[in-house]
Amino acid sequence: ENKYPETLNVGSGYSTRVLDIVYEAARMFGMEFEEERYVPNSNKVDFWANAEEMLRDYGWQAKVSIREGIREMILEVKNV
C-alpha cells in the first residue's frame, strides 16, 4: 500500500514563466536581474500548475496572485 497521497498541483492555473517569478522576487528584494546572462532562450519554456483536482477533491483554489504570494514569502524570509 502506498503510504503517500497522490501528487496534486497547487497553482493559479495561469501560465507564469519561472523567469517572471525570478524578476518579481529580484525586484522586491531591490536587485537587478539580467536575463541574457543567466537564462539563454528563456522564452521557449512555459509551464503552469493545473489545480483542477485540488478544487474538485478538496475545494482549494488560489486566493492570492503570484505577485502577492512572492511578496508574502519575501516578508516571511526577511523576518526569519
Side-chain angles (χ1 to χ4, degrees):
E1 178 181 326
N2 185 356
K3 64 180 183 176
Y4 300 106
E6 65 183 302
T7 301
L8 297 170
N9 291 321
V10 176
S12 66
Y14 296 102
S15 175
T16 304
R17 294 185 317 155
V18 171
L19 187 60
D20 292 334
I21 294 171
V22 171
Y23 274 129
E24 187 64 24
R27 185 186 70 77
M28 290 184 180
F29 273 114
M31 303 166 59
E32 290 185 25
F33 181 80
E34 298 175 30
E35 176 179 350
E36 298 80 22
R37 181 174 174 185
Y38 299 102
V39 189
N41 301 317
S42 64
N43 286 320
K44 295 182 180 179
V45 180
D46 185 26
F47 297 102
W48 69 92
N50 181 342
E52 289 177 7
E53 289 181 14
M54 286 292 289
L55 180 59
R56 182 191 70 224
D57 296 347
Y58 300 99
W60 183 92
Q61 63 185 20
K63 294 182 181 174
V64 298
S65 67
I66 293 287
R67 173 176 266 163
E68 179 64 18
I70 293 169
R71 188 186 75 75
E72 289 179 14
M73 178 193 65
I74 289 172
L75 289 175
E76 288 293 321
V77 168
K78 286 182 175 181
N79 289 326
V80 171

